[in-house]
Amino acid sequence: MSKRLIIFILIVVALVAALVLTNFGKNLPFSKWMEPVYTAEIPETRPQRLDQRLLERFEGEKMADILAVLAAEKMGTSATAGQTAAPDPDPLAQSLPDSPFPFDAESEPLNREWLTEFITSMKKNEGAKPTGEEIWRFNLALSALQISPDQLPASLRLNSTITPESDTMPVRLISRENAFTPPFTVGNFDGGEDVEVLDRGGIRISKISGSNDITEIEGHGIIFAGSQLYPADFDTDGDLDLFLIRPEGFPNSLLRNDGDGHFEDVTIELGLLSFNDTTAAAWIDYDGDGLLDLLVGSENHPLQLFHQTIGGSFQPIAWDLKLWIHRGVREIEVTDFSGDGTPDIFLGLNDQPDRLLLTKKGPSWKDWRFEDIMAPQQLSDSPDQSLTPFDFNHDGAPDLISREPTGNGANFRVLQNTGTASFEDVTAKLGFSEVENVTAIAIIDVDQDGFDDLFLGTPALSMNRLFWNRAGVDFREMSITTRAGFLDRPSKALVMDVNRNGINDLFYEEGGRVRWLEPSGSTSSWLQILLTKSMPGCRIVLTVRDNDWVLNSLSYELGNEASLSLGVGEAEVIEKLELFAPDRETVLFELEEIAPNQSVLLNPPSSPKPRATAPLQTAAKE
């Protein structure tokens, strides 16, 4: 046999092998070890799961055993492999008072000796030209030691002055001591009168009483921590359940609440077992059948939408609905931007354009579709922006806060919804200027006037900021007046009335702890609304009359909460409370002539009959 013939035969064999693998490989016995590779183009056939091997490996196992095995294997690998060393703590941040800025006379430094040495060393180098950051740090240290900057040479003084704020704003934010550590969430998990905090990733639960006493509760049944917690009453039995996500391929958990604050892991039996590197999730009733569905995004796996069936199990249907995001989900927000009664979806994505998806109704569960309006609305082409729903004027059309990373920080914008998911930039019109480097956002009505104010977290050693919403017309900064200007770095914020006094509290994660701020001093009225079950997508409209007989209408879209506390300003009476279905036309519940400063119980009617989900043809095990 000639050398040329041998080469020809080898080429033919290689071509045949390539043809077999590309066109018929899925039928070969060894193909189950080959992970599929997905692109931004939606697959023509139902995609095989990337975690198929792990699903087969742990088939028939209990969740606790699966987690234990994976944890042991993780401990057996190199503890430093692939990890980045944590940055050294900033000694200045660790030495300043744990108080809002400007520091008052009662603010005690955490390390007075270090601050003194720091100031002394800076004075020795007066000849050197300091940077703006060095001057700022130096003046923070001076303020902590109650040393007037007037004693300094001009080169070390700040060139800016603090903008005067209103001295008539009565609200002050009081920092409440606590030992909570993130990740955390807040809710009424045991059906009692008090509210509970789930922290340490869910493995600890504590009850907060009306007097702010904190009592740890034993035996709630969660033993493996998560990286983010998503409470919701998915089974509509009147108590909060919990979806808990975990990083690095550890499976997520759906935890059913038995009504007494004890959780049972039902992940496997309800069809949600996965081994994805999950980054974000959101509860959503995408088709309005009265049952919560679940959106789950991850870094290296396709976005999943799990539809809850009549029987309570979950089926993956993202591919069926042409909802295809092949990887890189970093953030999920859900609200009805278009006002058509269906929840819309914002997806923050890594290394690809973000999506703002309007839900398009269909005759059956599989005919619903999602239209991306991010580009047509010219919202942004930034790859790492964040969008937060914020109905600043309570007109029922959710507006947006946009944070877009730029070369100098994060560009902050407020985008007003014109009524049909069309947005206009009103940042300057509302009075925001020089707002950048926002690390976290909290929407909270600190003075209970009925209009939500805005708390903005900033990087460490920069003053956090609070903007007062003046009846939906514009905003005025009240960071110093309200004592909101802590110098820490909030990363995630949460708002809830934890002691059931009608006033919403502000919680945010900061490093390895949780800061709890409680507004005090407001004389405005409030109304606390208790729901017998969560009603996501429904809308509460309050018609209030003040002592000048001026009527005002305030609209609030509900999420998964079972209670909410609403400020009603100087209202003498709440003339009407209406609970609307997501279609914004059907009235589900109505009350009239309600006195403020009390709690009212809303018992909405039963949910609509769920749509049956046809059996899905799952991808064949290969």
Side-chain angles (χ1 to χ4, degrees):
M1 184 179 297
S2 67
K3 183 177 180 180
R4 179 177 297 179
L5 181 59
I6 294 174
I7 294 175
F8 176 77
I9 293 174
L10 291 176
I11 292 174
V12 171
V13 170
L15 290 174
V16 171
L19 182 65
V20 169
L21 289 176
T22 54
N23 293 281
F24 309 106
K26 64 182 181 179
N27 297 318
L28 297 177
F30 55 81
S31 64
K32 67 179 181 180
W33 288 288
M34 300 173 56
E35 291 187 351
V37 177
Y38 295 123
T39 66
E41 184 177 353
I42 185 169
E44 294 182 0
T45 59
R46 181 176 298 282
Q48 177 189 348
R49 292 184 54 159
L50 297 179
D51 58 354
Q52 187 63 47
R53 284 185 292 170
L54 285 170
L55 289 172
E56 294 176 0
R57 174 189 174 188
F58 290 109
E59 187 173 4
E61 299 290 335
K62 296 181 179 179
M63 177 62 79
D65 296 332
I66 296 173
L67 288 167
V69 169
L70 293 177
E73 292 178 353
K74 183 72 174 177
M75 290 293 292
T77 61
S78 173
T80 58
Q83 294 184 2
T84 302
D88 294 331
D90 188 331
L92 177 59
Q94 293 187 318
S95 302
L96 295 173
D98 188 21
S99 306
F101 186 79
F103 304 126
D104 57 28
E106 298 179 355
S107 299
E108 184 64 28
L110 299 180
N111 191 335
R112 183 179 293 273
E113 181 179 355
W114 188 93
L115 292 173
T116 303
E117 293 178 358
F118 174 69
I119 292 174
T120 303
S121 65
M122 285 287 289
K123 286 185 176 180
K124 290 178 181 178
N125 297 320
E126 288 179 6
K129 186 177 180 180
T131 65
E133 181 181 358
E134 288 173 335
I135 294 175
W136 171 246
R137 292 170 65 88
F138 184 66
N139 280 265
L140 286 178
L142 288 177
S143 179
L145 296 175
Q146 304 296 319
I147 298 175
S148 173
D150 296 338
Q151 305 175 27
L152 300 177
S155 63
L156 293 178
R157 295 179 194 167
L158 288 174
N159 294 323
S160 60
T161 57
I162 297 175
T163 304
E165 296 179 353
S166 170
D167 57 2
T168 60
M169 162 67 78
V171 175
R172 302 294 182 269
L173 296 182
I174 299 174
S175 183
R176 297 295 186 189
E177 291 187 7
N178 69 88
F180 302 137
T181 57
F184 80 105
T185 191
V186 181
N188 184 0
F189 291 100
D190 66 356
E193 295 183 355
D194 296 327
V195 172
E196 290 78 45
V197 173
L198 274 170
D199 73 325
R200 293 184 181 175
I203 63 174
R204 181 172 67 175
I205 184 169
S206 303
K207 185 181 295 291
I208 300 179
S209 69
S211 57
N212 289 335
D213 293 330
I214 302 172
T215 305
E216 187 173 343
I217 303 172
E218 301 292 340
H220 67 297
I222 305 176
I223 57 177
F224 285 89
S227 57
Q228 295 185 56
L229 312 175
Y230 300 91
D233 181 14
F234 84 90
D235 54 3
T236 66
D237 63 354
D239 54 53
L240 282 177
D241 310 297
L242 186 68
F243 184 66
L244 179 154
I245 70 173
R246 299 185 178 96
E248 300 179 342
F250 282 88
N252 307 321
S253 282
L254 178 60
L255 302 159
R256 174 181 282 151
N257 191 342
D258 66 1
D260 295 322
H262 181 272
F263 295 90
E264 176 190 4
D265 197 312
V266 294
T267 312
I268 298 174
E269 64 188 81
L270 296 188
L272 289 175
L273 179 62
S274 67
F275 298 89
N276 302 341
D277 45 350
T278 308
T279 54
W283 291 101
I284 175 175
D285 181 6
Y286 87 93
D287 59 349
D289 66 356
L291 294 176
L292 286 177
D293 312 306
L294 186 61
L295 270 169
V296 181
S298 63
E299 176 58 35
N300 295 310
H301 292 70
L303 175 75
Q304 289 284 9
L305 172 58
F306 293 98
H307 182 266
Q308 187 177 173
T309 67
I310 296 176
S313 62
F314 290 84
Q315 293 183 336
I317 61 169
W319 178 81
D320 300 86
L321 305 185
K322 305 293 189 279
L323 180 59
W324 179 254
I325 305 295
H326 70 295
R327 66 180 304 277
V329 176
R330 128 186 125 258
E331 178 183 355
I332 303 175
E333 291 282 355
V334 173
T335 196
D336 181 8
F337 294 107
S338 61
D340 64 354
T342 60
D344 306 307
I345 305 167
F346 167 72
L347 297 173
L349 307 175
N350 294 326
D351 304 321
Q352 55 186 308
D354 297 331
R355 314 286 176 89
L356 184 57
L357 303 174
L358 298 190
T359 305
K360 300 299 181 181
K361 298 179 181 180
S364 68
W365 68 269
K366 61 182 179 180
D367 298 313
W368 292 54
R369 292 295 182 266
F370 301 89
E371 177 189 357
D372 183 17
I373 65 167
M374 184 68 77
Q377 288 294 324
Q378 298 181 340
L379 291 175
S380 175
D381 57 1
S382 171
D384 296 314
Q385 72 177 318
S386 174
L387 293 182
T388 302
F390 177 36
D391 188 2
F392 68 85
N393 53 9
H394 285 293
D395 64 352
D399 312 299
L400 287 173
I401 297 173
S402 170
R403 290 180 287 153
E404 305 167 24
T406 64
N408 298 319
N411 181 21
F412 172 91
R413 295 190 300 159
V414 180
L415 307 170
Q416 184 172 4
N417 191 338
T418 60
T420 56
S422 177
F423 297 92
E424 174 189 358
D425 191 333
V426 292
T427 312
K429 178 181 176 181
L430 293 179
F432 294 102
S433 62
E434 299 180 358
V435 178
E436 58 184 24
N437 286 327
V438 177
T439 62
I441 291 175
I443 297 166
I444 176 172
D445 183 5
V446 296
D447 62 340
Q448 300 172 276
D449 65 349
F451 291 89
D452 292 324
D453 309 303
L454 196 57
F455 172 86
L456 302 179
T458 60
L461 299 183
S462 296
M463 188 175 69
N464 296 327
R465 307 175 72 177
L466 189 136
F467 290 87
W468 174 39
N469 186 347
R470 302 201 301 173
V473 176
D474 62 12
F475 287 77
R476 178 178 294 176
E477 184 161 9
M478 292 291 168
S479 307
I480 297 173
T481 299
T482 59
R483 306 294 286 158
F486 286 86
L487 299 175
D488 47 22
R489 185 189 187 281
S491 58
K492 179 183 178 182
L494 186 151
V495 172
M496 187 173 184
D497 179 7
V498 294
N499 48 17
R500 296 290 182 91
N501 62 354
I503 302 172
N504 283 311
D505 303 276
L506 169 62
F507 295 82
Y508 62 76
E509 297 181 8
E510 185 274 312
R513 65 174 180 172
V514 174
R515 190 179 293 282
W516 172 10
L517 299 177
E518 182 180 22
S520 67
S522 174
T523 58
S524 297
S525 300
W526 50 269
L527 181 70
Q528 186 176 76
I529 299 173
L530 307 177
L531 295 161
T532 55
K533 61 180 178 180
S534 59
M535 301 286 289
C538 292
R539 185 166 296 274
I540 286 178
V541 177
L542 298 182
T543 304
V544 300
R545 186 184 295 276
D546 63 19
N547 51 11
D548 293 324
W549 283 83
V550 175
L551 280 175
N552 199 4
S553 179
L554 302 171
S555 177
Y556 304 86
E557 182 176 341
L558 295 175
N560 294 312
E561 66 268 50
S563 68
L564 66 162
S565 295
L566 305 176
V568 293
E570 304 304 315
E572 295 263 315
V573 64
I574 300 158
E575 291 206 342
K576 184 181 293 186
L577 182 158
E578 297 169 288
L579 174 65
F580 287 88
D583 62 11
R584 307 195 180 197
E585 297 180 357
T586 305
V587 178
L588 302 177
F589 196 89
E590 185 175 340
L591 288 175
E592 295 183 352
E593 300 297 320
I594 307 169
N597 301 327
Q598 66 169 318
S599 298
V600 297
L601 179 66
L602 271 62
N603 186 16
S606 300
S607 302
K609 183 178 180 182
R611 295 182 179 90
T613 304
L616 297 179
Q617 181 182 357
T618 58
K621 296 182 180 180
E622 309 186 0

